[in-house]
Amino acid sequence: MNRRAHVPTRVLGTALAGALVLSAVSACGGQGDGPVTIRLVAADYGENADTGSKLYWDEVVRGFEAQNPGIKVDVDVESWTDIGRKVDDLISSGKSPDLLQTGGFADQVAAGRLYPAADVLSLDTQSKFMDSFAHAGQVLGTQYGIPFVSSSRVLFYNKALFKQAGISQPPATWSELRQDAEKIKAKAPGVTPYGLPLGPEEAPAESMLWTLSGGGLLSDDVGNYTIDSAQNQATFSWLKSNLVSTGLTYPEPGKMNRTPVFQDFASGKVAMLNGHPTLLRMATAGNVDFGTAPIPRKDGLGKTGSLGVADWMMAFKANGHKDQIKKFLSFVFMRENQLKFDERYNLLPVTQDAFGQMSSDPKHADLRQFATGLTNASFYPFGDPAWADVSNRIKAGIGDAVTGDPKQVLTGLQDAAVKEAARLRK
């Protein structure tokens, strides 16, 4: 990783100091060159153009530029399935973004591309973050990942379909989930009893929820991958035998992305699925009578917590826009801007002031169950530089574990994860 550039001390009253200052301003696009432009690439949290994240970012940028006429912000909003490839293409063509908001950061740290968070966050902004998320953004003791938004997962179920099938309460165990799914299949033809999105958009989250509830993990407490553990092989074998082969979910879960599965639930075509807070809005808009419950466990033996998800902001060094990035992030993490995003997508804040306001507001009572899930949640190995590659491989291939040979698929993913981790340690 390159050392931070040394900025000459400004000594007032000397011609030499004045020349140095003017040179520094010119080098980073100062007033003589017009506004500095910084580029943000952000993930899209919406389901369509009317709910897309571009609307939010356009509003934020307008407010920021009005207060900071010397800085322009270009925003490129990409789908979750495309954002990784988009950023890779920009970097390889010498057009690195200044900011990236997406699901992970450790691979960019390993490549030496990012500013430490302390370099691009004011002290006031740093003090806002909830400690657990700030710590999760660290690599080897230095924070690079800047938490942007968080959520957990709960089981959503369609109350009307449950009543139609004679089911009085949501399942608490896998065996109950299977039994309920069988009843729904018999009483509600044309409905998918359980939505299992193992396509690229949701595969890491859905697969981790199942491994956790089956008593396994994707990685252990010291960072070693355990994708093909005996517990995980048993979990995917159960999914294949009990849900997929029996026609209680989609025929090819590896081709099903989160968004269309959520849309199916919101239109009454799916009876149960694991969902995050965004689904609250979608299901309500679809006039679905739904309930939520804790994630079912393997006969009560799996972990009791949920999957904790944090999405991240990170700042790139390539363009030298540290000061402009710091000003923009100070604006982005203002309480009102955080609340606008979190309320729009029914997600949980990562800053203490926004979290406090949402938690005390009765209109956000439906989010408390997700906040409770975060108190005992398990997280992705965010700080592992290999995680980005491992996550992409899971997105591309873990769906085959419920239609093919679970052991073979999981062992292949495990071997690739170990190999990538070893490569990055060299």
Side-chain angles (χ1 to χ4, degrees), residues 6 22 46 58 60 64 75 89 105 171 229 282 285 297 330 356-358 390 410 417:
H6 175 66
L22 289 173
D58 285 350
V60 169
F64 174 76
V75 180
D89 289 346
F105 55 86
S229 68
M282 294 177 64
R297 296 178 285 154
S330 292
Q357 183 162 330
M358 281 191 87
V390 174
L410 296 179

Side-chain angles (χ1 to χ4, degrees), residues 21-34:
V21 172
L22 289 173
S23 176
V25 171
S26 177
C28 56
Q31 295 177 347
D33 298 327

Side-chain angles (χ1 to χ4, degrees), residues 45 80 101-105 130 132-133 136 147-154 201-209 212 258 275-278 305-312 342 346-350 355 370-371 373-382 387:
Y45 290 75
W80 282 99
Q101 187 274 302
T102 187
F105 55 86
M130 299 165 68
S132 59
F133 292 103
F148 180 70
V149 72
S150 66
S151 70
S152 62
R153 298 292 199 273
V154 299
E201 188 179 9
E202 184 73 352
E206 185 73 13
S207 58
M208 188 164 170
L209 284 168
L212 287 169
R258 174 182 65 204
H276 58 58
T278 298
S306 182
L307 168 67
V309 175
D311 294 332
W312 304 89
D342 297 323
N346 266 347
L347 293 170
L348 299 174
V350 294
F355 192 91
F370 296 94
L374 283 177
T375 63
N376 190 28
S378 298
F379 291 84
Y380 297 135
F382 290 120
W387 172 241

Side-chain angles (χ1 to χ4, degrees), residues 264-324:
D264 282 351
F265 183 83
S267 60
K269 298 176 182 177
V270 166
M272 295 178 281
L273 78 171
N274 295 326
H276 58 58
T278 298
L279 189 53
L280 294 170
R281 183 188 72 253
M282 294 177 64
T284 300
N287 294 315
V288 172
D289 182 14
F290 67 93
T292 60
I295 302 293
R297 296 178 285 154
K298 183 179 183 180
D299 299 321
L301 299 177
K303 290 184 177 295
T304 57
S306 182
L307 168 67
V309 175
D311 294 332
W312 304 89
M313 185 78 75
M314 64 210 76
F316 287 75
K317 299 185 295 185
N319 303 318
H321 292 153
K322 180 177 64 175
D323 294 340
Q324 292 82 7

Side-chain angles (χ1 to χ4, degrees), residues 349-414:
V350 294
T351 53
Q352 298 178 60
D353 54 358
F355 192 91
Q357 183 162 330
M358 281 191 87
S359 299
S360 62
D361 192 334
K363 74 179 182 180
H364 296 304
D366 56 357
L367 290 177
R368 290 173 187 160
Q369 59 201 314
F370 296 94
T372 299
L374 283 177
T375 63
N376 190 28
S378 298
F379 291 84
Y380 297 135
F382 290 120
D384 179 15
W387 172 241
D389 180 80
V390 174
S391 177
N392 285 335
R393 290 179 183 275
I394 289 173
K395 290 177 181 179
I398 207 164
D400 294 336
V402 296
T403 54
D405 182 342
K407 181 178 180 180
Q408 181 179 355
V409 172
L410 296 179
T411 298
L413 291 169
Q414 172 73 13

